[in-house]
Amino acid sequence: PKPRPTHRNPIFRAKEYARMIESGQAKNESDLARKIGVSRVRVCQYVRLLSLDASIVKALEQLGDPLTERVITERRLRPYLRKTPREQKTILSFLSH
């Protein structure tokens, strides 16, 4: 049988990027972007997800990594960064569908 595609959990990827910068594997977001072959903006977009409310980050982490379905993406989470923690809780409702 054909292997099922897997999708990275954006929170795990964000933490991985942040860890690489903090540990010195990359000097900054630009350096990391060069090393992994994506734009600096892309790295920044992922790392910013870590500023979501802590309860949201925790709930998203509980989905595990990798994901068998693309239930959540960085792009889908991005608008929630501008919302209050209370408004961010609506993320959890679309995850349960």
Side-chain angles (χ1 to χ4, degrees), residues 36-54:
I36 61 175
V38 299
S39 71
R40 181 198 58 78
V41 171
R42 199 77 186 109
V43 171
C44 183
Q45 288 168 334
Y46 271 100
V47 173
R48 280 185 43 224
L49 293 179
L50 299 177
S51 65
L52 286 166
D53 186 70

Side-chain angles (χ1 to χ4, degrees), residues 10-21:
I11 296 298
F12 279 83
R13 183 170 279 168
K15 286 190 169 204
E16 186 178 302
Y17 289 176
R19 204 171 21 256
M20 290 171 84
I21 294 167

Side-chain angles (χ1 to χ4, degrees), residues 1 4 7 10 22-23 35 44 46 50 59 66 69 75 78-80 83 88-89:
R4 295 190 56 171
H7 308 282
E22 288 164 15
S23 71
K35 288 181 178 185
C44 183
Y46 271 100
L50 299 177
E69 291 180 47
R75 181 165 284 177
R78 206 181 308 160
Y80 290 93
K83 297 182 185 284
Q88 288 179 14
K89 300 257 191 280

Side-chain angles (χ1 to χ4, degrees), residues 72-89:
I72 195 72
T73 64
E74 179 277 328
R75 181 165 284 177
R76 201 165 175 191
L77 291 172
R78 206 181 308 160
Y80 290 93
L81 291 166
R82 294 184 297 274
K83 297 182 185 284
T84 66
R86 187 178 189 164
E87 291 171 319
Q88 288 179 14
K89 300 257 191 280

